[in-house]
Amino acid sequence: MEEKLQELVAKYKIPEQLLKEAIQQEKEKVVLQKRRMVPILITMIERYADLPNSSIENDNYGT
Amino acid sequence: MALKLKSIRLKNWKCYQNEEIEFNLDTQQHIWIVFGQNGFGKTSILEAIQWCLYGGDELKSSALLDSFNRIVLKKDPNLELSVQLKFDRNGDIYDISRTAKRVVRGITASAQTNEAIVQQNGINQPYSRECIEELLPRACKDFFFFDGVEIKRYAQRLHTKETLDAIERILGIPELRNLREDSGRALQSIEKKLKDAASINESLNQVTSKLEEVQEKIEIKKEQLQKAKEEYQAALEIQKGTEERASQIEELRDKLKDMNNLESNKSRKQEEWSEAKKQVERDLEQAPIPLLLEFVRGVAEDMQSTTMITARRSGSVSQLREILESEACVCGRCIDESSRIYILQELQRLETSGASRTKDALQQDDLRDRLVTLSRFKTPDFDSLLLRRDRLREELDQIEKAAYRLKKETQGLNQEEAEDIWKKVGESQQKVREHQQKIDRLKGESAVLLQQENELRREMEELASCNEETANLARQVTLADGLHQAAKELIEWRITERKKTIEEQTSKIHRSVTNKPEEYVGVEIREDYTLGIKNATGEIINPETLSAGEKEALAFAFIAGLNLESGTAAPLIMDTPFGHLDTGHQRNLINALPDLPSQVIVLATDRDFPDYLLQGVRSHVTGILKIKRLGATEDASTVEVAE
């Protein structure tokens, strides 16, 4: 799984933490009838979009 | 991430008035056996666990009324019952308890179930249902509460939607599906924001509109592609079915030829047999002749000698007349005249009577001739005639049997279909090729559109970067789109990867629990999670053709495989699971228990765990408990540690 996540973040140029955090949030809310995840995801995306590009790259490649 | 049951406390629940069953988790072994005879309260323990977790969803109010302990109920009609479960998950203690109260109003009584209370490490959790769902999802309860008869449905040809959902839940697919859906909605929402912000910039506005158009086209292409894939799958199924039928017909075609040969052989043999039968009948009609043959021969010979005597006598009379009428004396002692006349008169009489005898003699000659002919009658060889007739009948019977068998095997097949089938195969293959071409074409068109989308996005980002707000929104769109695409790809990858690993695990476990490890070499998990068994020749066997025991072994292997690969091993509680199985499957399943990664609690009778099998796994068993009756009543049981 970890390897696949690395591959996907590189392919779609997204921060690794954004993907992992989003999956974790969905996992926690999977039992809820009304999970209301869209605003949470938008907030997360806004947060990562505010980061400078270099931080995203560092996040992706762990350097 | 193993979840283990630490203790169960039952108060006024069925036959248990106040009982606590503890499972020692400070050990490497993970199997517990709770022995109890039928009616002593094994299933009551399992029902208590399920009711505590899922409440009214598991046990309706009317059924719950029968769960109050009847002894205590006599003293207190408004009795309260409770079940408390303690789980350990990697050191976190989950305390789940549920109570119900019996309420009497007039002459009617009802049961009021309270919501479960969940504490994690002593702290109350606000959403108890969600918390329980997260620990042990109800949809997946068959994977935790093993019912040998119930789980056989996992070996069915088709799964219900609930079963499919339960399997995907274990595999961690729903959260990824949710992410795909939610990230898609987030993307739409951010794109709308960007559009609103960009409406003041004409160039950006144009690019955004173009992007929207392209995205719409992409959506249409996606739908077309999805439809084309479905059509392709359907065509593939048809092709597979037609090819299977063709190969069946190929086999049957030879049989059809054999049957035609048999039919012509049959009519030939039938003629031969009828002829042999008639021959026997004819010969039997003449059967008395051989019996009379000796007599006929005797009569013919007698008649022959009588004829000769008559002829001789007639000759003698003629000679005597010649002598008497002759002038010359030949004796020297001639008779007197009166004697001569007397002799002549006698001769005359003899000759007269001789005439009538001649007529009789002629008739007798004729009869004699016929008797002589009859005496030459050749006796038929009845033994060989009958043998031949019976042999032909046997041959005919064999031909008829073989023809009947072939007719049955070739039932429904006619010559027309046999000639037509390869044409149909060709047509179905052509259809599959056409659908494949359509998919390739749509994929190509989609790729072009995606390329356009990327270019437009880049253009949009460049234009948006002139303004801080739109630049930020454009970055958000890129991130949201990336997240959405990644979620989509992740689902497909996850399903394929999980299926592959579960298939390996299930195959491995199945080989250890099946009675036919040489014949059944593996398990196939299909697209819809239905199962098939691969045999040694590479064919896939439909599980519905298996015996009940084989189905249970297959379902056990699948559930154990799911449990192994889920990464969230949950306790497996088995209620009298082995007693109805044959000894082979029983031994194999019991021997497979130590290899399971989860805690196993077996509620068993002596028949489920005979001593010789218990000894085999004894070193893996943490504890053996025994349910005992308190007095001669079915309303009072207790659980004691036996070993």
Side-chain angles (χ1 to χ4, degrees):
Chain A
M1 183 79 165
E2 187 61 33
E3 213 174 299
K4 185 68 188 173
L5 292 180
Q6 297 290 345
E7 182 197 318
L8 290 172
V9 295
K11 184 176 175 183
Y12 295 105
K13 296 184 180 73
I14 49 171
E16 186 184 337
Q17 278 312 313
L18 169 64
L19 183 57
K20 284 187 173 174
E21 213 178 305
I23 293 172
Q24 186 56 36
Q25 288 276 357
E26 290 285 6
K27 208 179 266 187
E28 284 168 15
K29 299 216 164 4
V30 75
V31 292
L32 302 178
Q33 292 286 328
K34 290 178 183 169
R35 53 186 189 278
R36 295 189 182 91
M37 266 300 288
V38 177
I40 297 172
L41 283 178
I42 291 174
T43 313
M44 279 164 64
I45 290 165
E46 282 169 357
R47 186 156 39 91
Y48 281 96
D50 284 339
L51 294 174
N53 278 348
S54 58
S55 324
I56 294 174
E57 279 165 22
N58 285 347
D59 178 63
N60 284 355
Y61 302 108
T63 50
Chain B
M1 279 280 280
L3 180 75
K4 290 177 182 174
L5 183 60
K6 205 169 151 58
S7 69
I8 309 168
R9 190 175 188 92
L10 310 167
K11 204 167 175 199
N12 299 327
W13 176 267
K14 296 203 167 181
C15 56
Y16 300 101
Q17 290 173 19
N18 193 357
E19 195 67 41
E20 182 158 18
I21 308 163
E22 288 192 42
F23 302 99
N24 175 21
L25 302 182
D26 300 328
T27 164
Q28 290 299 308
Q29 298 104 322
H30 62 272
I31 301 173
W32 278 262
I33 304 168
V34 182
F35 277 114
Q37 291 179 36
N38 288 333
F40 273 36
K42 293 185 298 300
T43 307
S44 299
I45 295 174
L46 185 66
E47 286 171 346
I49 297 171
Q50 295 190 23
W51 176 75
C52 181
L53 292 170
Y54 311 120
D57 294 338
E58 202 51 45
L59 198 66
K60 297 284 165 237
S61 176
S62 54
L64 184 63
L65 266 181
D66 296 329
S67 303
F68 289 85
N69 184 270
R70 283 185 288 214
I71 294 174
V72 191
L73 196 63
K74 281 177 191 163
K75 296 174 205 160
D76 179 7
N78 294 308
L79 189 63
E80 188 174 275
L81 63 74
S82 67
V83 178
Q84 190 179 4
L85 307 173
K86 215 172 256 185
F87 288 96
D88 179 316
R89 186 164 75 178
N90 304 325
D92 286 331
I93 303 297
Y94 291 84
D95 204 323
I96 304 171
S97 60
R98 192 185 290 272
T99 55
K101 195 171 170 63
R102 191 174 184 272
V103 180
V104 182
R105 283 194 190 91
I107 52 163
T108 58
S110 61
Q112 286 178 352
T113 306
N114 296 318
E115 198 61 33
I117 296 168
V118 181
Q119 288 187 338
Q120 185 180 352
N121 299 325
I123 300 164
N124 268 352
Q125 299 299 300
Y127 303 105
S128 61
R129 278 187 190 220
E130 285 77 5
C131 194
I132 292 167
E133 271 297 297
E134 196 260 320
L135 287 171
L136 291 160
R138 184 168 178 265
C140 310
K141 74 181 178 77
D142 288 346
F143 303 143
F144 323 129
F145 307 117
F146 183 98
D147 180 326
V149 178
E150 184 62 24
I151 66 152
K152 272 186 279 189
R153 66 193 166 89
Y154 289 94
Q156 282 174 356
R157 188 74 188 81
L158 287 168
H159 286 324
T160 60
K161 192 183 174 303
E162 287 74 21
T163 309
L164 269 173
D165 289 346
I167 294 168
E168 292 214 324
R169 181 77 187 271
I170 286 284
L171 301 181
I173 307 296
E175 51 260 44
L176 298 181
R177 287 197 201 284
N178 290 347
L179 178 60
R180 180 181 60 186
E181 196 184 311
D182 294 336
S183 59
R185 285 193 191 144
L187 175 62
Q188 280 175 358
S189 169
I190 300 169
E191 276 178 335
K192 192 176 175 300
K193 277 189 212 167
L194 177 60
K195 199 186 163 194
D196 293 345
S199 58
I200 46 164
N201 182 331
E202 200 177 322
S203 310
L204 189 58
N205 212 5
Q206 279 175 0
V207 175
T208 315
S209 301
K210 269 190 199 167
L211 185 64
E212 271 177 7
E213 273 174 40
V214 171
Q215 282 172 334
E216 265 175 38
K217 282 182 188 168
I218 289 173
E219 282 308 310
I220 293 167
K221 284 282 171 243
K222 262 189 218 164
E223 278 171 23
Q224 287 174 340
L225 193 60
Q226 183 59 33
K227 202 178 163 203
K229 279 182 182 171
E230 283 166 12
E231 285 170 352
Y232 172 76
Q233 278 303 331
L236 210 58
E237 285 292 313
I238 292 171
Q239 183 197 334
K240 213 172 143 192
T242 321
E243 281 174 349
E244 267 175 30
R245 182 67 184 151
S247 94
Q248 273 175 4
I249 286 176
E250 259 328 281
E251 270 179 38
L252 292 177
R253 202 202 286 268
D254 290 341
K255 288 183 179 170
L256 212 60
K257 216 181 276 176
D258 289 348
M259 202 171 76
N260 289 340
N261 288 341
L262 277 177
E263 286 296 335
S264 61
N265 202 5
K266 182 181 155 189
S267 57
R268 191 165 47 79
K269 282 278 173 220
Q270 201 141 24
E271 277 174 28
E272 284 180 32
W273 174 72
S274 296
E275 189 45 48
K277 203 172 119 186
K278 277 183 196 157
Q279 177 71 40
V280 169
E281 279 167 5
R282 268 199 308 272
D283 286 344
L284 278 175
E285 278 171 14
Q286 294 175 348
I289 298 175
L291 297 175
L292 294 168
L293 215 52
E294 282 306 308
F295 172 72
V296 169
R297 276 189 195 127
V299 172
E301 277 167 16
D302 278 355
M303 288 179 82
Q304 177 75 15
S305 45
T306 311
T307 309
M308 283 170 71
I309 290 165
T310 311
R312 242 189 342 262
R313 187 181 290 163
S314 165
S316 301
V317 171
S318 304
Q319 278 176 350
L320 191 57
R321 179 178 288 282
E322 275 176 27
I323 291 167
L324 286 172
E325 285 174 356
S326 174
E327 293 296 321
C329 174
V330 290
C331 67
R333 288 178 68 197
C334 290
I335 55 169
D336 56 33
E337 188 58 24
S338 60
S339 298
R340 198 172 64 87
I341 290 165
Y342 173 75
I343 291 168
L344 279 171
Q345 280 173 344
E346 281 304 304
L347 282 173
Q348 181 68 39
R349 197 176 52 78
L350 273 171
E351 278 170 355
T352 313
S353 69
S356 70
R357 272 204 300 277
T358 306
K359 199 181 166 190
D360 288 346
L362 281 172
Q363 282 177 344
Q364 279 184 0
D365 272 358
D366 182 46
L367 184 61
R368 182 178 55 82
D369 284 346
R370 284 165 64 189
L371 286 172
V372 167
T373 313
L374 201 59
S375 69
R376 285 192 199 120
F377 178 81
K378 202 177 164 199
T379 310
D381 185 352
F382 276 109
D383 283 346
S384 31
L385 276 174
L386 288 169
L387 200 67
R388 182 165 182 270
R389 184 197 66 179
D390 294 346
R391 190 170 46 76
L392 284 166
R393 182 66 251 180
E394 268 174 33
E395 284 174 10
L396 198 58
D397 285 346
Q398 277 172 4
I399 291 171
E400 279 172 349
K401 266 187 205 162
Y404 175 74
R405 206 172 45 239
L406 283 173
K407 200 173 177 181
K408 236 178 144 181
E409 285 172 9
T410 56
Q411 206 166 26
L413 173 69
N414 54 48
Q415 206 60 39
E416 272 174 29
E417 191 191 0
E419 283 162 11
D420 209 32
I421 190 71
W422 287 110
K423 198 178 146 197
K424 281 187 182 164
V425 169
E427 284 169 2
S428 64
Q429 285 170 343
Q430 179 60 26
K431 280 251 182 271
V432 169
R433 274 195 296 274
E434 282 170 14
H435 286 298
Q436 184 61 58
Q437 282 164 2
K438 191 177 175 186
I439 289 172
D440 292 343
R441 181 176 53 79
L442 286 167
K443 274 184 180 170
E445 288 169 3
S446 293
V448 172
L449 286 168
L450 284 169
Q451 179 69 26
Q452 283 177 13
E453 189 194 19
N454 280 338
E455 283 164 12
L456 285 166
R457 268 194 202 289
R458 270 200 299 275
E459 202 180 330
M460 189 183 72
E461 276 174 42
E462 273 171 31
L463 288 167
S465 62
C466 302
N467 174 289
E468 201 182 326
E469 190 197 355
T470 51
N472 186 277
L473 283 168
R475 269 202 303 279
Q476 287 181 25
V477 168
T478 310
L479 283 181
D481 186 54
L483 187 63
H484 183 55
Q485 299 300 336
K488 280 201 285 190
E489 197 174 323
L490 194 57
I491 293 169
E492 285 179 20
W493 172 83
R494 180 82 171 169
I495 290 174
T496 315
E497 182 259 351
R498 294 274 85 179
K499 240 179 232 174
K500 197 173 153 237
T501 48
I502 290 164
E503 202 170 77
E504 283 166 9
Q505 288 293 356
T506 306
S507 296
K508 195 175 143 204
I509 298 165
H510 186 249
R511 274 197 300 277
S512 71
V513 295
T514 177
N515 277 353
K516 300 171 184 168
E518 291 86 14
E519 197 181 323
Y520 299 155
V521 296
V523 176
E524 182 195 61
I525 297 175
R526 300 190 187 97
E527 198 72 13
D528 55 356
Y529 303 102
T530 54
L531 308 174
I533 292 185
K534 294 175 199 163
N535 71 9
T537 58
E539 287 170 358
I540 305 294
I541 299 169
N542 176 357
E544 284 185 2
T545 62
L546 302 175
S547 71
E550 285 175 324
K551 275 185 193 166
E552 188 169 330
L554 175 64
F556 173 83
F558 180 50
I559 286 173
L562 276 176
N563 214 334
L564 267 169
E565 282 305 310
S566 67
T568 53
L572 189 61
I573 303 172
M574 310 171 101
D575 186 13
T576 52
F578 311 125
H580 60 288
L581 294 173
D582 62 68
T583 49
H585 279 121
Q586 190 181 33
R587 187 190 54 238
N588 296 344
L589 286 177
I590 288 174
N591 289 340
L593 295 179
D595 295 331
L596 295 177
S598 42
Q599 179 189 27
V600 178
I601 299 169
V602 188
L603 303 164
T605 61
D606 298 344
R607 219 171 41 229
D608 289 287
F609 255 111
D611 200 45
Y612 72 99
L613 290 176
L614 178 61
Q615 292 315 316
V617 292
R618 188 66 191 82
S619 58
H620 301 279
V621 176
T622 312
I624 296 176
L625 309 172
K626 200 157 192 175
I627 305 175
K628 283 189 175 171
R629 280 252 172 95
L630 297 169
T633 168
E634 59 180 20
D635 294 325
S637 292
T638 186
V639 183
E640 291 179 354
V641 177
E643 284 181 43

